[in-house]
Amino acid sequence: MTQNHISAEEVARLRDIVLGGGQLSEEQVYSLVGAPSQALRDAAAAVTAKFCSRNFDSCSIVNARSGLCSENCKWCAQSSHYNTGCRTYPVIDHDECMKAARYNAANGVKRFSLVASGRSVKGEALRQITSMLREVKEQTGIFTCASLGLLTTEELQQLWDCGVRRYHCNLETAPSYFSHLCTTHTIEDKLATIAAAQKIGFEVCSGGIIGMGETAQQRAEFALTLRRARPHSIPVNILSPIPGTPLEGTAPISDDEILDTIAIMRLTHPAVEIRFAGGRARLSREVQLEAMRVGINGGLVGDMLTTVGSTIASDKALIQDAGYKF
């Protein structure tokens, strides 16, 4: 698609469509690529202010199963196709899981999710994880989520039965770029799992990673494709190139590109939780505050899966400085 840059006045017109309850067309979303950054971010900030709660939606993730993954996702430290030195274990220790859940609940974190490596979690591993999630819910009352790969309806039902109400399955990137990064499964496989989860009643958390070599146009395509998933939450990860993976030498995406991507995501998904996820530790405090003005109204707090994140206390201070309630 040929990209025609639009004026600040046209950005304002598109902003008003969204503020009036309308939805931007695909052509209109693509037209935002290359728009004047300040106008784009201000438009997204206005949409955020109108449609999004000032209660920051916080969540914490714990690695329920690490490494030895059969899939060949080029960004991932846990793939068995690459030598990254990633820690491996079959299922997280029960006491370690409960300690993490209690700590997050005690510190006011809203959601707690178990995230497992691998194409899917089945059999005894699924039984162990659902048992822990049931116990977490019963003992702490924290809202439980799960990210266990490409599950069947029957496997998803087991998660529902243990009290989980939100399922996470990232689309990761634009369909036109996905096969450059992973060939062992497809976006359609992911959308099938998402549809099965929604049929049961789950809310869906689905986003991806930016800065993996995709174009700005493909990031707009990614935002549009997420409409098919109808997510309640969109996590935005920024690639942390991990030594040993094929993307280890990838040049970092710029702060301006990150902020503009968040703005386009907000204008495409006016009322959805858009959350900071992995990789934000590389951003300055000022850029993180601007991202929260522009569109971020949720986030993973504390440490991430395989990259160092931050502490709950420091995240809480940042969130409050951005004008949100933790």
Side-chain angles (χ1 to χ4, degrees):
M1 180 180 292
T2 302
Q3 183 59 52
N4 297 310
H5 296 312
I6 63 173
S7 65
E9 290 74 21
E10 179 64 11
V11 172
R13 188 183 74 81
L14 298 182
R15 173 204 65 201
D16 289 344
I17 291 173
V18 179
L19 289 175
Q23 182 182 83
L24 298 185
S25 68
E26 290 195 7
E27 182 179 2
Q28 288 169 329
V29 171
Y30 280 120
S31 77
L32 293 169
V33 177
S37 289
Q38 194 61 54
L40 178 63
R41 296 172 199 172
D42 288 347
V47 170
T48 299
K50 177 166 183 177
F51 292 108
C52 299
S53 168
R54 299 313 292 178
N55 293 314
F56 195 84
D57 194 84
S58 59
C59 60
S60 178
I61 57 176
V62 169
N63 214 354
R65 184 174 70 186
S66 183
L68 304 177
C69 180
S70 63
E71 307 304 283
N72 65 357
C73 308
K74 289 183 178 180
W75 61 84
C76 187
Q78 302 193 62
S79 172
S80 60
H81 294 257
Y82 318 123
N83 183 19
T84 65
C86 175
R87 179 187 176 198
T88 63
Y89 50 83
V91 175
I92 188 173
D93 175 75
H94 168 274
D95 291 348
E96 185 179 346
C97 173
M98 294 307 301
K99 179 181 178 181
R102 285 191 289 267
Y103 176 79
N104 281 281
N107 281 277
V109 177
K110 184 176 180 181
R111 305 178 189 277
F112 178 81
S113 183
L114 290 184
V115 180
S117 66
R119 183 181 179 90
S120 61
V121 176
K122 299 180 180 296
E124 176 60 17
L126 181 59
R127 188 202 66 75
Q128 290 177 265
I129 288 173
T130 53
S131 176
M132 283 187 282
L133 285 166
R134 179 179 290 107
E135 189 175 345
V136 166
K137 185 74 173 176
E138 291 172 350
Q139 288 199 14
T140 71
I142 199 168
F143 191 103
T144 51
C145 311
S147 179
L148 308 181
L150 304 174
L151 300 190
T152 65
T153 298
E154 293 75 17
E155 290 156 353
L156 287 163
Q157 187 64 52
Q158 292 179 55
L159 280 174
W160 181 270
D161 292 345
C162 77
V164 173
R165 292 296 179 265
R166 179 173 287 187
Y167 193 70
H168 168 266
C169 185
N170 274 350
L171 298 190
E172 303 298 6
T173 191
S176 66
Y177 195 57
F178 189 88
S179 63
H180 294 273
L181 298 171
C182 175
T183 60
T184 48
H185 60 270
T186 66
I187 281 182
E188 292 303 321
D189 292 331
K190 292 170 173 289
L191 287 166
T193 291
I194 288 169
Q198 288 170 327
K199 189 172 182 179
I200 290 172
F202 285 99
E203 295 179 353
V204 161
C205 179
S206 184
I209 309 171
I210 61 173
M212 296 194 289
E214 76 286 344
T215 64
Q217 191 85 353
Q218 285 170 322
R219 291 193 283 275
E221 179 192 351
F222 171 49
L224 285 163
T225 304
L226 280 166
R227 282 183 180 172
R228 291 178 61 191
R230 295 180 290 113
H232 281 75
S233 165
I234 298 174
V236 177
N237 295 270
I238 303 161
L239 180 70
S240 295
I242 296 169
T245 66
L247 298 186
E248 65 177 332
T250 304
I253 186 173
S254 72
D255 291 352
D256 284 336
E257 288 177 287
I258 292 167
L259 292 170
D260 288 352
T261 299
I262 291 167
I264 291 174
M265 194 69 75
R266 173 54 68 206
L267 290 164
T268 310
H269 301 270
V272 172
E273 295 162 7
I274 300 178
R275 65 182 63 245
F276 265 142
R280 71 176 168 90
R282 56 157 272 201
L283 302 178
S284 69
R285 182 180 179 82
E286 292 69 29
V287 170
Q288 291 185 61
L289 288 169
E290 175 67 356
M292 285 189 273
R293 183 185 78 91
V294 167
I296 296 292
N297 65 324
L300 274 63
V301 297
D303 287 347
M304 307 303 157
L305 286 177
T306 58
T307 59
V308 174
S310 53
T311 67
I312 293 176
S314 65
D315 285 339
K316 186 181 294 187
L318 179 72
I319 289 160
Q320 291 172 338
D321 285 350
Y324 286 96
K325 296 177 182 177
F326 186 85

